Amino acid sequence: MSGRLTVVTYTGRRSGRSFSTPVAYERTADVVTIRVAMPERKLWWRNFTGEGGPLALELDGGERAGHGVARVDGKGRVTITVRLGEPPVPNGR
């Protein structure tokens, strides 16, 4: 990874609460890739399984809305692909 860090903000599927967590990422144009370290010890990424969900990332000096989809490979590694420019995250985020 490039070593870039940002904060991802999302709304929990079950709780409806807003959460923020720091993540490392890579970016190519309007696609951001987040590789979840030790996914078996974390739960937040599960909000983006299936069809995925809305989120916001702190990028370019401000907050950018996007849609993230998590994929688990055959070795249990989790990657979230975020397409920027999707509708804003609910609750004003």
Side-chain angles (χ1 to χ4, degrees):
M1 296 204 63
S2 66
R4 294 184 190 185
L5 296 176
T6 188
V7 174
V8 60
T9 301
Y10 61 95
T11 300
R13 283 186 179 176
R14 285 199 228 160
S15 70
R17 292 176 34 212
S18 180
F19 297 93
S20 296
T21 190
V23 296
Y25 73 96
E26 293 177 352
R27 181 177 178 188
T28 303
D30 283 340
V31 176
V32 174
T33 302
I34 300 168
R35 289 183 177 81
V36 181
M38 297 183 293
E40 68 282 355
R41 293 184 168 187
K42 299 175 179 145
L43 301 175
W44 71 268
W45 61 267
R46 296 177 188 185
N47 287 284
F48 303 101
T49 58
E51 297 291 319
L55 54 77
L57 294 171
E58 293 191 19
L59 298 170
D60 307 327
E63 192 171 82
R64 296 281 308 271
H67 184 88
V69 178
R71 298 284 181 246
V72 182
D73 70 13
K75 294 184 178 181
R77 294 177 293 211
V78 175
T79 301
I80 300 172
T81 302
V82 179
R83 300 213 180 272
L84 298 173
E86 298 292 323
V89 176
N91 300 326
R93 299 298 302 180

